[in-house]
């Protein structure tokens, strides 16, 4: 079964850091483009970052560029999003998705940035 | 950035009746490789998004055939031929032709009248 399971969401103060993980199974993780998409409470979907399947080059939304870093570990099929200098408006459910097909999506992990 | 504009944002529908959602992009989504990277997603209450339609009109496996996608260039439509109770949720269009950034429509909330 193709599956993605996110973890790492938490309550953090503004200016703090958090590392999200996405465990992948059931498909060829190393060759797949992978992305993070977030959804603020009651809002729509916002693309955050994508890592290419062929060269592992990462791309970022302007809103997170310079603060977030996307990487993958093919030895344990894990996608990671390092989030630094967190702001209140980063509060959201963060989903990882296999973006080579935009299927599947994980169940999401909640990040709350508040003092 | 490509702006994706959906309408309507709220869609009350009677069970068994058809529904239609429009998605317009600020520039053509026809890629130089000949494909149009326009997807439709469904997000049921409390669930993660699920892709329904890819490249304008291709239904994903397991998606009922009452769902159909059409369009070209900058103008796209998702149609449900006969709405069922399980179709309640929010529907998003997404473009992957001109990225980064990948951009989504605002979402259309479908409810049963």
């Amino acid at each position: 079964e193709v599956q993605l399971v996110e973890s790492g969401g938490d309550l953090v103060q503004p200016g703090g850091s958090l590392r999200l993980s996405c465990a992948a199974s059931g498909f060829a993780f190393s060759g797949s483009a992978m992305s993070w998409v977030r959804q603020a409470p009651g809002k729509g979907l916002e693309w955050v970052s994508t890592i290419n399947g062929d060269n592992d080059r990462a791309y970022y939304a302007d809103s997170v560029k310079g603060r977030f870093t996307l990487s993958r570990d093919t030895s344990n099929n894990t996608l990671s999003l390092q989030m630094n200098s967190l702001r209140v408006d980063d509060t959201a459910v963060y989903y990882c998705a296999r973006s080579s097909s935009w299927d599947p999506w994980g169940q999401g992990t909640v990040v709350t940035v508040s003092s | 950035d490509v702006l994706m504009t959906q309408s309507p944002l709220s869609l009350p529908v009677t069970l068994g009746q058809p529904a239609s959602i429009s998605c317009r992009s600020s520039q053509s989504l026809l890629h130089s490789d000949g494909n149009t990277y326009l997807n439709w997603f469904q997000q049921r209450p409390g669930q993660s998004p699920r892709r329904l339609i890819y490249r304008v009109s291709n239904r994903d496996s397991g998606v009922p055939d009452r769902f159909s996608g059409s369009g070209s260039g900058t103008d796209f439509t998702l149609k449900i031929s006969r709405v069922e109770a399980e179709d309640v949720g929010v529907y998003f269009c997404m473009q992957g032709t001109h990225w980064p950034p990948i951009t989504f429509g605002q979402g259309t909330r479908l409810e049963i009248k």
Side-chain angles (χ1 to χ4, degrees):
Chain A
E1 179 192 5
V2 178
Q3 193 173 16
L4 297 171
V5 179
E6 301 98 332
S7 61
D10 205 346
L11 170 63
V12 62
Q13 291 190 338
S17 297
L18 213 51
R19 188 176 184 88
L20 305 184
S21 294
C22 172
S25 59
F27 65 98
F29 177 73
S30 62
S32 296
M34 299 292 297
S35 294
W36 287 93
V37 174
R38 67 186 181 183
Q39 187 169 36
K43 300 297 185 182
L45 301 173
E46 179 189 14
W47 172 75
V48 173
S49 181
T50 293
I51 188 165
N52 271 351
D54 50 1
N55 59 11
D56 274 0
R57 180 176 174 180
Y59 301 83
Y60 302 93
D62 286 346
S63 57
V64 307
K65 202 173 293 181
R67 302 187 297 123
F68 290 12
T69 302
L70 182 58
S71 61
R72 75 163 95 213
D73 181 346
T74 55
S75 66
N76 63 10
N77 287 357
T78 299
L79 183 74
S80 295
L81 184 68
Q82 177 66 41
M83 304 189 297
N84 299 330
S85 303
L86 282 162
R87 309 190 297 221
V88 171
D89 61 0
D90 292 319
T91 295
V93 177
Y94 284 72
Y95 297 101
C96 72
R98 180 176 60 170
S99 45
S100 49
S101 60
W102 288 102
D103 176 77
W105 293 52
Q107 84 288 353
T109 189
V110 179
V111 173
T112 303
V113 185
S114 175
S115 54
Chain B
D1 298 359
V2 178
L3 179 65
M4 305 295 287
T5 303
Q6 288 183 230
S7 63
L9 300 185
S10 179
L11 184 56
V13 184
T14 301
L15 286 172
Q17 292 301 302
S20 180
I21 300 170
S22 169
C23 176
R24 289 193 166 93
S25 56
S26 60
Q27 57 184 281
S28 174
L29 298 186
L30 178 62
H31 195 278
S32 56
D33 66 7
N35 291 309
T36 298
Y37 295 99
L38 185 284
N39 297 330
W40 287 97
F41 296 87
Q42 175 194 60
Q43 187 175 31
R44 289 173 171 151
Q47 294 188 12
S48 305
R50 161 203 182 197
R51 195 180 69 176
L52 296 177
I53 302 284
Y54 62 96
R55 277 187 271 124
V56 180
S57 59
N58 298 277
R59 239 185 344 264
D60 272 280
S61 174
V63 174
D65 61 6
R66 63 178 181 276
F67 288 92
S68 64
S70 63
S72 64
T74 62
D75 201 349
F76 304 92
T77 302
L78 175 70
K79 291 183 178 175
I80 309 173
S81 58
R82 293 172 306 279
V83 169
E84 298 188 7
E86 67 178 17
D87 300 335
V88 166
V90 183
Y91 293 80
F92 298 92
C93 59
M94 184 213 86
Q95 71 83 23
T97 296
H98 305 290
W99 77 283
I102 289 161
T103 48
F104 292 86
Q106 316 97 299
T108 295
R109 184 173 302 276
L110 186 149
E111 64 180 42
I112 304 302
K113 202 185 295 184

